[in-house]
Amino acid sequence: ELCEEPGIGPAKAAEILALGELARRFAATPLAPGTRFTSSRQVFAHFHERLRDRKKEVFLTLLLDSKNRVLREIQVSEGSLNASIVHPREVFQPVIRESAAAVLFVHNHPSGDPEPSREDLELTSRLRDAGALMGVRVLDHIIIGSGRYISLADQGLIG
């Protein structure tokens, strides 16, 4: 597609694509254990570049210690264009194994629109209830779109 632009040949197109890939890699720095997120905006800033252009929904769980520091990031599922199969059993198995005190959920909407679906809201409710039953705090569920995000905690939907 780039080669269709006047003045851009195969070599220049390859340079442009390589530059874009380098920018994505720099923006998507790996999460170091001990990292602490204090706002939904920070979570969005960290994951936006990595998730915004994905063609499938990806659901991540961030396992946190009692001081809300990251222990580990787990990819729970990679679904289809508009859905990701997530079951509390798969979400909480690593949470229990790692003795996490709290969790943050992050997933993307390939459509670019981060507005939560009915399924997103139902899943969040089920995960919150499962966490409460096990004594694990569900701090937030952040949905990432193209340049925007929605935090269900900021919206008062996690409590």
Side-chain angles (χ1 to χ4, degrees):
E1 290 175 13
L2 287 172
C3 292
E4 293 174 8
E5 294 296 319
I8 298 180
K12 184 56 74 179
E15 284 179 30
I16 292 169
L17 291 173
L19 182 62
E21 180 59 26
L22 279 174
R24 262 189 294 286
R25 287 182 186 185
F26 280 121
T29 55
L31 234 131
T35 300
R36 190 165 185 209
F37 292 113
T38 58
S39 72
S40 59
R41 182 89 181 124
Q42 283 181 312
V43 176
F44 168 73
H46 181 82
F47 288 99
H48 180 247
E49 283 298 320
R50 185 167 129 203
L51 295 178
R52 74 174 182 175
D53 292 329
R54 298 288 296 263
K55 302 295 183 218
K56 295 179 179 180
E57 274 198 14
V58 175
F59 191 95
L60 305 172
T61 300
L62 301 181
L63 309 181
L64 308 172
D65 66 13
S66 60
K67 295 186 179 183
N68 296 340
R69 295 177 300 208
V70 174
L71 296 169
R72 195 164 156 215
E73 172 190 319
I74 306 285
Q75 180 174 318
V76 175
S77 75
E78 182 171 340
S80 65
L81 181 62
N82 61 359
S84 180
I85 307 283
V86 177
H87 192 279
R89 178 178 49 246
E90 283 84 31
V91 171
F92 284 99
Q93 182 181 26
V95 173
I96 293 165
R97 188 174 50 245
E98 302 280 335
S99 297
V103 290
L104 278 171
F105 302 122
V106 180
H107 88 272
N108 66 314
H109 279 177
S111 68
D113 180 5
E115 196 62 38
S117 65
R118 180 180 52 79
E119 291 82 7
D120 291 336
L121 297 173
E122 288 173 0
L123 173 63
T124 303
S125 179
R126 286 177 47 217
L127 292 173
R128 185 190 63 231
D129 293 347
L133 188 64
M134 292 183 279
V136 176
R137 293 173 292 126
V138 173
L139 301 181
D140 204 347
H141 182 171
I142 296 168
I143 304 169
I144 295 178
S146 181
R148 305 184 297 135
Y149 74 99
I150 289 187
S151 158
L152 298 185
D154 292 352
Q155 304 254 324
L157 300 172
I158 294 180

